[in-house]
Amino acid sequence: MRLDYLTIFPDFFAPLDLSLPGKAADKGLVEFHVHDLRSYTHDKHHRVDDTPYGGGAGMVMKPEPWGEAFDELTRPGSTIIFTTPSGEPFDQRLAADLATREHLVFACGRYEGIDQRVMEHARERAEVREISLGDYVLNGGEVAALAVTEAVVRLLPGFMGNAQSLVEESHADGGLLEYPVYTKPPEWRGHQVPAVLRSGDHGKVERWRHDQAVRRTAERRPDLLSPSTLDDGTPIVRATQGDAAELLTLQRACWVQEALANDSLDIPALHESLDDVRTWLGVWDTWVVRRAGRLVAAVRGRLEGPDQTAWDIGRIMVAPDLQGSGLGRVLLDHIQSVAPATVTWYVLFTGAGSVRNQRMYKKAGFRLRPDLDAPAGAVVLTKRRA
Ligand code: J9N
């Protein structure tokens, strides 16, 4: 991959010789070329800016030097990147996309912006992306271009020694923030390493880490959780009263199966009417998934217990053709993540004979609670909120 930088501050790019990008260059994976935009001017003062048409404060970058630079630097297959606060938000998905390109040209603006015709012209000769690092204002695009560079270059095949550590990192997978990590010593300045990490129980460690990641995400980045989505981007959305009839249909399909698995017709959900569904929709926090317009899955939760610290989870329903796809587990994770902050434990009921459901719940960290009351033919499972 070749990367070119157009800037009036070439010194900003000294870090490219260091650390990660520097190593990639040493390996021959990338080539960096930094260009002073002023070298594409012809006047004595190497002017790159001028006053804005229409008036107003500040200066605008004039088009001619950019045009000459693009003439020299772009070729078929180039992608020109303008780093600007009004661009599309930069994220891991965009980094992965850019990592597939042969040639990136970073156009780093300064002042109050670049003459709009530069972007129009660039679009006529190359793929153009206008990219923002985030909703804050820098003095120029250089730092943003460096950040984009580092995120892209580390994804190039052959760059990282350890491919697995890439997969596991923040935003690379699952859309959750990272769980907290610890190393020796086990106690440091009065702070302990959580006992579960020293237990040697890998299943327990995995569940603890997943819970920590979900909690952290809920606290710091609720936007990543709600609206929540499946792996393919299908959203999990709150149910409305308009969903009642389809929920009833899905519920009947699922509860006939439950009835057969538990050899019992004595399951309340099996006998509910449309009005019953409308009623519980009013009191439960219910979420649904639609595929091609069809309601294919649902889950509900509500506060329980004398002190309202329990989150009662129920009606995890998946259409027959999608069972076994992992959708039930996604909904189970989702309904936990939307529980109010006051919740300290989760509770759910399932049929004593629903072996597959029970296995999924146990994998998600729930434990059978024979000490607690359950309706005939059902079992209770609970889990403490991490
Ligand atoms: N995300 C982002 C980009 C920028 C600038 S200011 C001038 C050029 C690019 N600020 N914030």
Side-chain angles (χ1 to χ4, degrees), residues 2-6 16 31-35 73 103-104:
R2 173 175 167 133
L3 301 101
D4 286 279
Y5 301 86
L6 279 163
L16 290 179
E31 268 178 53
F32 300 114
H33 300 274
V34 181
H35 312 271
L73 297 175
H103 184 208
L104 303 179

Side-chain angles (χ1 to χ4, degrees), residues 291-350:
R291 271 279 163 76
R294 178 171 69 116
L295 196 155
V296 294
V299 63
R300 71 182 195 181
R302 75 168 174 189
L303 292 170
E304 288 283 4
D307 47 6
Q308 303 279 288
T309 56
W311 186 241
D312 186 349
I313 295 170
R315 305 282 165 103
I316 299 181
M317 309 187 284
V318 177
D321 55 320
L322 291 171
Q323 289 176 11
S325 68
L327 196 44
R329 174 61 195 269
V330 171
L331 289 175
L332 178 58
D333 288 346
H334 175 77
I335 200 68
Q336 292 172 76
S337 76
V338 299
T342 51
V343 165
T344 56
W345 60 297
Y346 306 111
V347 56
L348 58 80
F349 298 85
T350 193

Side-chain angles (χ1 to χ4, degrees), residues 44-58:
K44 181 165 87 185
H45 296 105
H46 303 289
R47 277 190 74 170
V48 292
D49 63 339
D50 208 335
T51 54
Y53 274 117

Side-chain angles (χ1 to χ4, degrees), residues 128-299:
V128 171
R129 309 298 289 258
E130 294 185 48
I131 295 176
S132 169
L133 260 208
D135 294 335
Y136 44 85
V137 180
L138 306 169
N139 278 323
E142 285 78 8
V143 166
L146 278 174
V148 172
T149 298
E150 186 156 321
V152 168
V153 163
R154 63 192 290 285
L155 296 178
L156 296 178
F159 179 67
M160 287 266 299
N162 182 357
Q164 184 59 28
S165 54
L166 270 184
V167 174
E168 286 178 1
E169 276 175 72
S170 251
H171 303 289
D173 186 58
L176 295 177
L177 302 184
E178 281 187 349
Y179 49 78
V181 296
Y182 300 84
T183 185
K184 290 168 278 299
E187 193 212 313
W188 179 74
R189 299 193 177 187
H191 297 263
Q192 307 288 334
V193 172
V196 54
L197 296 179
R198 312 216 293 137
S199 69
D201 182 336
H202 290 296
K204 240 172 115 178
V205 168
E206 219 177 285
R207 289 191 294 275
W208 182 85
R209 285 178 167 165
H210 180 74
D211 287 344
Q212 290 291 314
V214 170
R215 269 183 83 77
R216 226 179 212 197
T217 310
E219 271 178 28
R220 301 178 185 181
R221 295 292 308 279
D223 58 304
L224 295 180
L225 290 178
S226 76
S228 198
T229 62
L230 311 185
D231 284 347
D232 65 356
T234 309
I236 305 172
V237 298
R238 271 215 168 78
T240 67
Q241 283 293 333
D243 295 320
E246 282 178 287
L247 276 168
L248 178 65
T249 305
L250 181 64
Q251 177 165 297
R252 286 196 172 149
C254 292
W255 258 261
V256 165
Q257 260 182 337
E258 270 292 282
L260 294 171
N262 292 282
D263 200 18
S264 160
L265 290 175
D266 192 20
I267 300 175
L270 190 56
H271 304 279
E272 284 182 359
S273 66
L274 182 56
D275 270 339
D276 292 327
V277 174
R278 289 191 178 123
T279 302
W280 66 249
L281 264 176
V283 292
W284 290 77
D285 189 16
T286 308
W287 296 77
V288 296
V289 174
R290 289 190 174 278
R291 271 279 163 76
R294 178 171 69 116
L295 196 155
V296 294
V299 63

